[in-house]
Amino acid sequence: MVTITLMGQLQTEDGERDFTCEVPGPLSVKQLIQRQGMTLRPVLQLLREKKVLVTVNKKIASEDSLVNDGDAVRLVGHDGMGGTGLGPSSFY
């Protein structure tokens, strides 16, 4: 089981921030997010725009970093300028 936590200004439309999911084997962070379907789809765009910091087990990671069973992934929203460019309306 992998734990995904949204931090900073990231949250789902329903205000959720914590998710767990089973993984069949090593997956990239990007693949893990894609497997969550519509729930985390907006995160993919934010990753492309470099507006999300990724950590895996408290170590800085990227969308290509591998995730294994038992890992903890944290996605932290930022706008790169120290402002508030990622309000909940930007996420959904």
Side-chain angles (χ1 to χ4, degrees), residues 2 4 21-38 40-41 43-44 47-48 54 56 62-68 73 75:
V2 172
I4 303 170
C21 60
E22 296 289 332
V23 293
L27 295 173
S28 70
V29 170
K30 182 177 180 180
Q31 291 170 322
L32 179 69
I33 293 168
Q34 288 172 330
R35 287 177 60 98
Q36 304 312 303
M38 293 299 294
L40 295 181
R41 181 168 286 169
V43 169
L44 294 175
L47 277 170
R48 282 187 218 108
V54 179
V56 176
S62 74
E63 66 183 58
D64 299 320
S65 297
L66 292 181
V67 177
N68 295 289
V73 176
L75 304 169

Side-chain angles (χ1 to χ4, degrees), residues 45-63:
Q45 181 61 36
L46 295 174
L47 277 170
R48 282 187 218 108
E49 294 173 6
K50 307 291 187 215
K51 292 185 175 183
V52 175
L53 299 173
V54 179
T55 66
V56 176
N57 299 328
K58 298 184 181 183
K59 294 181 182 175
I60 295 173
S62 74
E63 66 183 58

